[in-house]
Amino acid sequence: MTALIFMSSLVPANAMTGGTEGDRPWMNTELSAEERTELLIDAMTMEQKIQQIAISRFNENDTGETVVIKKGGTSKYQNGEFAPQGTLPGCEWQDTGRQIQGIDELGIPTIRMTNGGTGVKGGSCGNDPEATGLPSSLSMAATFNSELNYEAGRILGEETRAFAHHVLLGPGMNLVRHPYNGRNYEYFSEDPYLTGIMASEQVKGIQDQGVQAQLKHLAGNEQETERWTMGVQVPSQAMNELYMLPFEMVVKDANPASVMCSFPDVNGTYACDSSELLQDALRRNWGFEGYVMSDRRAIHDTVAAIKAGMNVELDWAPQYYTQEKIQDALDSGQVTEDDIDNLLRPRYIKMIEFGHMDEPYDKFMPEIVDPMLNGASARKMAEEGSVLLKNEDGFLPLNGEPKSIALIGLEWFASEAKMSPRSVRDNNENVNTPYTVTPQQGLENVIKELGYDTKVTYNNGRDPEAAAKLAAESDVVLLMVGDNPHETADRDTLGFPAIDLDKHPDRKNLVEQEPLIDAVMEANAENTVVVLKTSGTVLMPWLDDVPAVLQAWFPGMEDGNAVANLLYGKVNPSGKLPMTFGATEREAAFATEEQYPGTRQDTGKVGGPGPYGNGSDQLIAKYTEGLEMGYRWYEANNMKPVFPFGYGLSYTTFEYDKLKVKKIQDKGSVSGIDVSFTITNTGDVAGKEAAQVYLTLPDEAGQPTKRLVNFEKVYLEIGESERVTVRINHDDSNHPFSYFVPEEPDNLANWADGEWKTAKGKYRVHVGGSSADTPLETDVPLNFKLSKDDTIGNTNGNNNSNNEDENEGNIKGNKDDNKDNNKGNKDEKKDNNKGNKDDNKGNKDEKKDNNKGNNKGNNKGNNKGDNQWQSQWRYQLRYQLQSQWRYQWKNQLKNQWQYQQLGQRQWQYQQLGQRQWQYQQQGQHQWQR
């Protein structure tokens, strides 16, 4: 009763609470999202339906000025004349088009979308908001901190809402298969589990603010070279166990509203036209209930895209989802009205669930954002994400002894806060931040705070000889160098490229970095700390000559404070590498040209650079390494990288001890394992350690090496020990104990067909500080077996839950294991079931109405070829059942309006916690804190 009374106070003024509003019964908020959606779709004309499945480009400006675009050339469809509509006062004209225009008479609002990842920029409005400049996604993954990634999502969602936008295009979740990818800074890691965990937390943080997250780019988008026309050939097992797995994890664990399909031709079919990708994998295998939007110019066939369930076309103007093309397809019988309805249905359901159908986003709300609070969070992220790669003889942290510091490096890296690029050309421009902190400002802030008498002198490195002279005269040299990746192109070197410091797009002012590095090393290498501000792996031939190296990635707007705090020990480094740093320009998954960037093949499809190619044969990248990608390749081939995945130093030391593995039983059946171990801070500085748990599957699984299955970041005072327990469940979304068996291993076109199998036998558990350093290891025999009722059974003859096996591994020493683990006021959140975290941050109920599944697209598998008759039969049967159900259900609604009998209370209980924020945010920003 209390919940229902409270709910009545949350209903927006423009939404109905019962009955009908004239001829708009779908505005009745007492109905479920599914019910409202069916009523709305039934009331729409075909013209309205087609308009709603493509991005619109229109002028929301209220200034009264018409905008005329004349791009000309081959992009005539980008031209147009746009009169102001004033739907969002203060929203200036944005040429790119990131909105779906609403239909006022139906109560459908305009939906605005903005780019995300490292800050809110590039939305439906040309006047970007003031937004927090977060560190790059690689830095966020390097934190190995789930809570910080949730906080990043919260900031992104909050600032998107303040910008009056409904959808955030992010996070990016492609894997770092190789270091050349021009957009690696937008992605999390080379490991699918780490990527899936961090992305899930960001999605939860975004969506808890009432903003829809859009995962990107599904799938195979691991390079930018010829991204619009190129293709990838990925073995089925690698496709499912590596590149699709993080998306599967987020779909299952975070319930994202939407997904963006990618550019590449994936195993023979372009991603946005692929039923294998968007129906079989995404919807059938994972149970995805949201909608799919294309990347810009990523559709290649109208009918194929519709049949695949590609819900919204993104472009400057629709190219394939046009009124003419879709009407032709309808007239010819290639698609049906039901197909079009299936494209609308999931998006409207999500709009209603998020409150976007009922609460207009009709004004900017900067007052809900606390820029200083968000800036403090950004600083903490940059600090925990930075990785100390080398610290010979304790050269760091710095103290008051040095009287002179030479700060050397090009402007981007040493005199400005280094931001993640947000452009198709390399620059250091990101979001419109409230402030930035430069490296010199950060150093001087810390030096003053600590009371030291140290002078910092900056040299921009344009004259290597002058820089070397300053280095030779200084007690300490801080050399800050980096790279210049950007969208649409890959890196052309793993060294340090020349940087174009001219902001004019048509002029170049290239400044070399390699001669600068050489000059500084020759002058004073023994006292030089190198601070890397890169998008990933770089080659460091001078590594042995310098005492310390700090990988700071792209730290964002708090760059100066974060890096200075780490260099002076105000913060103890705790980041761990989310990618392996190799030793050469060609190794691992990028060893050959065939693997990256690919070789040209006559596939019958247009290849070459640009959105429409140049008539060349198609560039095809073959993932011939299979599962041997990232750290898996180095371990499988017994190759030692420069720095392994998961590696990172601290100003203290940690010891791992007393490993125990306990089988978890549920009603007599084995359901997983608890891995327990002790971590002790054996140094003389308090610090954090990101402990990693890996698993080697039995030989039957055919895995090249161990895989990351869990991690826990622990803070320890000097001499303190903590007992850590992490749980690994068989049914976790990352399939920790399982491997994928393709139905047709040699048929890449059917890569989604197959099953996850769990081997019976000896599993090895590894625990340590990196993929290459796992001092605790033990074997545990496991036998997961599905019983007739689809529960995981136990065939080892022991069904007594009190008799679980405990296996002590290669344990260091015989230290007392009875230390008190209730140290201080630490939060006992040691359930550590990270793969199955409670998704109720915002009190969302993920157990949505089972009828949602009945509203999914009904044409799955229609484009799969002659060998897919079984799938078609299943889909046809399901379609008949769904159609019959919908027909009876809609008639009952229309003729009887018996809302109480159709789950009218369901919406209230499901949406109470989920959308509570929407009606509290107006003037109640304190609630969010």
Side-chain angles (χ1 to χ4, degrees), residues 315-326:
D315 214 321
W316 278 271
Q319 296 300 290
Y320 291 90
Y321 282 11
T322 65
Q323 294 280 344
E324 182 180 6
K325 288 184 178 180
I326 291 180

Side-chain angles (χ1 to χ4, degrees), residues 416-459:
E416 301 174 8
K418 183 67 190 82
M419 313 293 282
S420 294
R422 295 290 292 274
S423 172
V424 295
R425 65 184 296 269
D426 51 310
N427 57 36
N428 192 32
E429 296 178 2
N430 188 261
V431 300
N432 178 28
T433 59
Y435 66 91
T436 61
V437 182
T438 70
Q440 185 161 357
Q441 288 172 337
L443 289 166
E444 291 174 347
N445 288 342
V446 174
I447 290 169
K448 180 179 179 180
E449 179 182 349
L450 297 177
Y452 296 151
D453 181 21
T454 305
K455 183 180 180 180
V456 179
T457 303
Y458 172 65
N459 181 284

Side-chain angles (χ1 to χ4, degrees), residues 549-710:
V549 179
L550 178 70
Q551 172 58 271
W553 315 102
F554 300 151
M557 70 186 221
E558 277 277 350
D559 178 339
N561 284 334
V563 171
N565 287 344
L566 291 162
L567 293 175
Y568 272 93
K570 277 194 64 182
V571 175
N572 192 348
S574 63
K576 300 278 191 171
L577 285 181
M579 62 185 298
T580 306
F581 274 36
T584 68
E585 293 187 345
R586 285 288 185 181
E587 59 190 47
F590 51 103
T592 67
E593 183 182 359
E594 182 184 44
Q595 292 170 294
Y596 170 79
T599 55
R600 300 206 179 275
Q601 297 183 25
D602 183 5
T603 63
K605 299 176 182 178
V606 175
Y612 310 105
N614 62 2
S616 302
D617 286 342
Q618 192 176 30
L619 186 70
I620 302 293
K622 293 185 177 181
Y623 292 30
T624 55
E625 70 279 357
L627 296 177
E628 293 185 10
M629 188 271 285
Y631 64 88
R632 292 166 168 84
W633 182 87
Y634 291 90
E635 298 213 349
N637 293 279
N638 197 28
M639 297 289 289
K640 185 177 180 181
V642 177
F643 298 113
F645 172 86
Y647 169 88
L649 299 176
S650 169
Y651 293 148
T652 189
T653 54
F654 300 96
E655 182 178 277
Y656 289 80
D657 203 359
K658 294 182 170 56
L659 173 65
K660 291 184 179 179
V661 179
K662 183 172 69 173
K663 296 177 185 177
I664 302 304
Q665 299 194 13
D666 182 14
K667 297 180 182 179
S669 299
V670 176
S671 61
I673 58 175
D674 275 346
V675 179
S676 300
F677 50 94
T678 300
I679 304 179
T680 303
N681 183 344
T682 55
D684 55 7
V685 180
K688 295 181 179 180
E689 170 70 348
Q692 300 152 49
V693 180
Y694 296 83
L695 195 66
T696 296
L697 274 55
D699 292 342
E700 170 193 320
Q703 300 291 298
T705 182
K706 58 180 177 280
R707 59 171 66 164
L708 182 69
V709 293
N710 216 321

Side-chain angles (χ1 to χ4, degrees), residues 259-327:
V259 168
M260 178 181 286
C261 54
S262 63
F263 292 117
D265 179 4
V266 181
N267 285 348
T269 306
Y270 280 104
C272 293
D273 303 339
S274 174
S275 290
E276 188 79 16
L277 180 67
L278 304 183
Q279 288 291 350
D280 292 0
L282 182 60
R283 293 184 171 95
R284 182 194 70 190
N285 294 351
W286 304 347
F288 176 65
E289 296 179 339
Y291 62 94
V292 178
M293 188 172 81
S294 72
D295 210 334
R296 198 180 298 272
R297 287 154 290 169
I299 296 178
H300 293 76
D301 184 282
T302 300
V303 173
I306 291 173
K307 290 291 186 179
M310 212 296 303
N311 304 85
V312 179
E313 179 183 10
L314 169 65
D315 214 321
W316 278 271
Q319 296 300 290
Y320 291 90
Y321 282 11
T322 65
Q323 294 280 344
E324 182 180 6
K325 288 184 178 180
I326 291 180
Q327 191 60 55

Side-chain angles (χ1 to χ4, degrees), residues 14-81:
N14 65 322
M16 290 178 52
T17 58
T20 66
E21 185 180 282
D23 58 352
R24 299 200 300 179
W26 54 87
M27 298 304 293
N28 186 343
T29 60
E30 293 187 358
L31 295 177
S32 70
E34 291 82 5
E35 292 164 350
R36 294 176 64 183
T37 294
E38 294 305 320
L39 290 168
L40 172 58
I41 290 175
D42 192 60
M44 297 174 71
T45 67
M46 180 54 67
E47 183 178 0
Q48 289 171 331
K49 291 177 180 180
I50 295 173
Q51 180 268 321
Q52 284 284 290
I53 59 174
I55 290 292
S56 303
R57 194 165 47 132
F58 67 98
N59 185 3
E60 290 196 90
N61 202 317
D62 61 346
T63 62
E65 296 180 1
T66 296
V67 175
V68 180
I69 301 295
K70 293 184 178 180
K71 289 182 178 294
T74 59
S75 300
K76 291 182 179 180
Y77 73 99
Q78 295 183 36
N79 300 339
E81 184 172 314

Side-chain angles (χ1 to χ4, degrees), residues 328-360:
D328 287 346
L330 288 166
D331 293 342
S332 66
Q334 295 179 85
V335 300
T336 67
E337 185 169 358
D338 278 342
D339 293 329
I340 306 303
D341 291 350
N342 289 336
L343 300 185
L344 293 167
R345 186 171 288 112
R347 189 171 70 82
Y348 287 158
I349 289 173
K350 289 301 178 184
M351 284 174 60
I352 294 169
E353 288 178 349
F354 278 79
H356 298 161
M357 191 75 80
D358 304 315
E359 181 187 7

Side-chain angles (χ1 to χ4, degrees), residues 92-384:
E92 297 177 5
W93 167 249
Q94 168 63 284
D95 176 34
T96 58
R98 287 196 177 99
Q99 69 261 66
I100 303 175
Q101 189 167 14
I103 303 176
D104 290 341
E105 60 267 31
L106 294 177
I108 301 173
T110 290
I111 295 299
R112 304 180 194 92
M113 306 180 184
T114 185
N115 258 333
T118 59
V120 176
K121 177 183 175 70
S124 296
C125 304
N127 46 323
D128 286 322
E130 190 174 88
T132 306
L134 297 173
S136 61
S137 294
L138 279 166
S139 179
M140 294 305 306
T143 66
F144 274 71
N145 187 319
S146 298
E147 288 74 21
L148 279 181
N149 277 269
Y150 178 86
E151 172 67 1
R154 183 200 66 77
I155 291 172
L156 291 168
E158 173 187 80
E159 295 181 356
T160 298
R161 176 63 187 92
F163 191 28
H165 281 54
H166 308 77
V167 184
L168 183 78
L169 306 183
M173 294 172 51
N174 297 100
L175 296 186
V176 181
R177 176 176 175 250
H178 59 83
Y180 289 96
N181 189 352
R183 297 182 79 176
N184 274 343
Y185 59 88
E186 292 187 46
Y187 305 141
F188 290 93
S189 79
E190 69 185 30
D191 181 78
Y193 176 77
L194 180 61
T195 296
I197 290 294
M198 297 313 191
S200 289
E201 291 303 309
Q202 289 201 12
V203 168
K204 292 174 189 176
I206 293 165
Q207 297 196 157
D208 282 353
Q209 307 307 307
V211 169
Q212 300 176 33
Q214 185 166 110
L215 315 182
K216 61 184 187 183
H217 311 86
L218 189 72
N221 205 149
E222 282 77 45
Q223 70 183 55
E224 291 293 290
T225 299
E226 297 190 17
R227 66 176 188 174
W228 288 283
T229 61
M230 62 88 62
V232 296
Q233 293 180 4
V234 191
S236 300
Q237 191 173 5
M239 190 71 172
N240 287 277
E241 292 189 22
L242 296 179
Y243 303 100
M244 294 289 284
L245 186 57
F247 290 95
E248 178 180 1
M249 291 175 64
V250 179
V251 165
K252 291 180 175 179
D253 296 341
N255 192 27
S258 60
V259 168
M260 178 181 286
C261 54
S262 63
F263 292 117
D265 179 4
V266 181
N267 285 348
T269 306
Y270 280 104
C272 293
D273 303 339
S274 174
S275 290
E276 188 79 16
L277 180 67
L278 304 183
Q279 288 291 350
D280 292 0
L282 182 60
R283 293 184 171 95
R284 182 194 70 190
N285 294 351
W286 304 347
F288 176 65
E289 296 179 339
Y291 62 94
V292 178
M293 188 172 81
S294 72
D295 210 334
R296 198 180 298 272
R297 287 154 290 169
I299 296 178
H300 293 76
D301 184 282
T302 300
V303 173
I306 291 173
K307 290 291 186 179
M310 212 296 303
N311 304 85
V312 179
E313 179 183 10
L314 169 65
D315 214 321
W316 278 271
Q319 296 300 290
Y320 291 90
Y321 282 11
T322 65
Q323 294 280 344
E324 182 180 6
K325 288 184 178 180
I326 291 180
Q327 191 60 55
D328 287 346
L330 288 166
D331 293 342
S332 66
Q334 295 179 85
V335 300
T336 67
E337 185 169 358
D338 278 342
D339 293 329
I340 306 303
D341 291 350
N342 289 336
L343 300 185
L344 293 167
R345 186 171 288 112
R347 189 171 70 82
Y348 287 158
I349 289 173
K350 289 301 178 184
M351 284 174 60
I352 294 169
E353 288 178 349
F354 278 79
H356 298 161
M357 191 75 80
D358 304 315
E359 181 187 7
Y361 283 16
D362 55 5
K363 65 177 181 178
F364 299 126
M365 300 169 57
E367 67 275 6
I368 72 172
V369 177
D370 184 336
M372 300 310 294
L373 178 68
N374 291 351
S377 291
R379 184 187 70 248
K380 185 173 178 60
M381 294 166 194
E383 290 167 350
E384 286 208 25

